[in-house]
Amino acid sequence: QVQLVESGGGLVQPGGSLRLSCKASGFTSTFYTIAWFRQAPGKEREGVARISSSNRITAYAASVKDRFTISGDNAKNTVYLQMSSLKPEDTAVYYCATSRGIILSLSNQDYCDWGQGTQVTVSS
């Protein structure tokens, strides 16, 4: 069974940076996609960024493009989300999730294994 553990959340001022980590274990295939999602209070969960295991192709939501960077370290089985120029509207619980196989999607229903989430709060 795939297990995902997020870390790195916290409180940061507007304009600041944070790096989230998602440590993964239990994969039975080398082909999968890992994505970051976020959910703010009273809002639906939204996809933020994704990266594929094989060719490391990435994709981003328009709201975070050019501010967030997703990357992976195969040796550590960890995917990172580097967040810069943070805004109060980035405040949310951030989750990582994985799919079965390579997918080109940032939709909730296409991901089957989820971490427990880490809180990011952007406030002065």
Side-chain angles (χ1 to χ4, degrees), residues 33-54:
T33 298
I34 291 185
W36 284 96
F37 291 79
R38 66 185 182 186
Q39 188 166 21
K43 294 188 177 181
E44 293 186 356
R45 189 172 298 184
E46 65 169 339
V48 172
R50 59 172 169 84
I51 184 168
S52 61
S53 62
S54 57

Side-chain angles (χ1 to χ4, degrees), residues 7 15 17 21 30 35 49 51 53 56 59 63-64 69 75-76 84 101-103 105 110 116-117:
S7 62
S17 299
S21 299
T30 58
I51 184 168
S53 62
R56 293 299 182 188
S63 58
V64 306
T69 302
K76 296 182 179 180
S84 303
I102 303 296
I103 62 171
S105 167
D110 294 326
Q116 81 290 349

Side-chain angles (χ1 to χ4, degrees), residues 10-76:
L11 173 64
V12 63
Q13 292 187 342
S17 299
L18 272 178
R19 190 178 77 160
L20 305 183
S21 299
C22 172
K23 186 166 180 61
S25 62
F27 285 113
T28 58
S29 169
T30 58
F31 298 100
Y32 52 85
T33 298
I34 291 185
W36 284 96
F37 291 79
R38 66 185 182 186
Q39 188 166 21
K43 294 188 177 181
E44 293 186 356
R45 189 172 298 184
E46 65 169 339
V48 172
R50 59 172 169 84
I51 184 168
S52 61
S53 62
S54 57
N55 53 22
R56 293 299 182 188
I57 288 179
T58 60
Y60 299 89
S63 58
V64 306
K65 192 172 174 60
D66 298 326
R67 297 190 299 122
F68 291 10
T69 302
I70 189 170
S71 63
D73 184 334
N74 285 341
K76 296 182 179 180

